[in-house]
Amino acid sequence: MIQRFHYTELTSTNDYAKELIKHLPLIAVSADSQTNGRGRNNRTWEGEAHKNLFLSIAINHKNYPTYKYPSRYQALGCLVVYNALVKYISKDGIKLKYPNDIYIFDRQYKKVSGILIEHSIQGKVAENTIIGVGLNINQDSFSDELSFKASSLKKIGLSVTIEDIYNDILLEFENLFTKSEDYIYDLWVEKLNILNKSITLLSDNKSYLVKGINPDCSLTISDAQNNIKRIDNGVSIIYEL
């Protein structure tokens, strides 16, 4: 189902997948290292070569119609990685964080994976969608800046290969990709466990209560005066898992 492409080094698997998917229906692009990996909101994704998974799954919408709510591809990406990891980690040891991060328990919950969704748009139509996955597997040390908030499978005592996790992720993708987008959305909402939690917006450093998760994956939140607002998945928030 998925055509696989692997490279020793790429600037970004997402960038290369964008070119290949123009001529193919469904592909996976991986690399031993990235020189310019990206995260959300123009952040970089750091990871040591040959120790982590750098993967992009690309969908050509000429072959596979896009979701009614394209933001739900972030839910798909998160669930794919989550389902792959629960084969190795207990459900209590892994959590999803809104909108598209995966955390594991390493003395406290720390980020082990991030999902970056990118669409190529023509007019108002998405021609293809890229699901980028960065996953820390065998890296055992991080920069001072990241050490208190990032972890890896190796750091929690797991001995797994990049190839095994890669195969697990593609298998889970093939399983979930056959499901409806409403099924994907409902499962993501359930596993997020963010409803009625207190969050802080980094943009104003104020606290809000999460009142709802909308069909387009945005959040409905309220402040202390019960003023209601919506924030989309590009807004940075802090909350306790």
Side-chain angles (χ1 to χ4, degrees):
M1 180 178 176
I2 301 178
Q3 291 180 256
R4 302 185 182 195
F5 299 86
H6 182 77
Y7 302 89
T8 301
E9 181 178 278
L10 293 173
T11 54
S12 161
T13 57
N14 267 29
D15 288 345
Y16 208 77
K18 284 179 186 178
E19 295 304 314
L20 288 178
I21 198 60
K22 293 176 181 178
H23 313 289
L24 297 167
L26 187 62
I27 62 172
V29 176
S30 58
D32 293 329
S33 67
Q34 287 188 136
T35 59
N36 190 29
R38 297 194 301 280
R40 289 174 60 238
N41 299 329
N42 296 315
R43 298 187 181 98
T44 58
W45 178 265
E46 296 182 24
E48 286 187 37
H50 303 282
K51 291 187 177 182
N52 302 302
L53 180 66
F54 309 106
L55 170 67
S56 295
I57 299 171
I59 304 160
N60 190 323
H61 295 306
K62 293 178 182 177
N63 304 91
Y64 301 96
T66 187
Y67 286 167
K68 179 180 178 181
Y69 298 100
S71 52
R72 291 183 178 183
Y73 284 106
Q74 71 185 8
L76 174 62
C78 283
L79 292 172
V80 163
V81 176
Y82 176 90
N83 285 354
L85 292 183
V86 292
K87 296 178 181 179
Y88 305 93
I89 304 170
S90 71
K91 291 183 179 180
D92 290 337
I94 179 171
K95 292 189 177 184
L96 301 187
K97 188 168 186 180
Y98 181 87
N100 52 3
D101 291 332
I102 296 92
Y103 280 60
I104 57 175
F105 192 78
D106 175 12
R107 293 173 290 182
Q108 64 185 48
Y109 284 103
K110 297 180 180 181
K111 185 173 176 177
V112 72
S113 179
I115 312 298
L116 177 65
I117 305 300
E118 296 184 302
H119 305 283
S120 293
I121 307 294
Q122 182 66 38
K124 295 183 178 181
V125 178
E127 293 189 322
N128 58 66
T129 294
I130 314 295
I131 302 172
V133 177
L135 174 60
N136 301 328
I137 299 178
N138 289 319
Q139 184 165 338
D140 53 14
S141 64
F142 295 87
S143 66
D144 291 342
E145 181 184 359
L146 293 177
S147 61
F148 72 97
K149 57 184 179 181
S151 188
S152 69
L153 301 186
K154 183 177 181 179
K155 283 182 68 66
I156 63 169
L158 292 179
S159 179
V160 293
T161 68
I162 295 173
E163 182 179 8
D164 284 344
I165 296 293
Y166 172 76
N167 289 331
D168 288 335
I169 286 176
L170 292 194
L171 178 62
E172 293 302 328
F173 175 82
E174 290 180 343
N175 290 337
L176 284 174
F177 195 49
T178 63
K179 309 295 186 184
S180 72
E181 70 170 281
D182 287 337
Y183 174 89
I184 298 296
Y185 168 79
D186 290 341
L187 188 59
W188 175 69
V189 169
E190 174 191 330
K191 294 192 180 304
L192 268 180
N193 190 29
I194 194 175
L195 287 172
N196 299 313
K197 282 192 172 183
S198 176
I199 66 170
T200 300
L201 297 190
L202 292 186
S203 58
D204 62 14
N205 202 34
K206 293 181 180 179
S207 295
Y208 298 83
L209 192 68
V210 177
K211 307 293 287 186
I213 304 176
N214 304 305
D216 64 355
C217 299
S218 63
L219 299 180
T220 296
I221 60 176
S222 65
D223 63 14
Q225 289 73 44
N226 206 32
N227 296 309
I228 303 295
K229 65 189 295 185
R230 287 175 65 145
I231 58 171
D232 65 28
N233 53 30
V235 174
S236 294
I237 64 174
I238 298 174
Y239 69 97
E240 292 294 326
L241 289 174

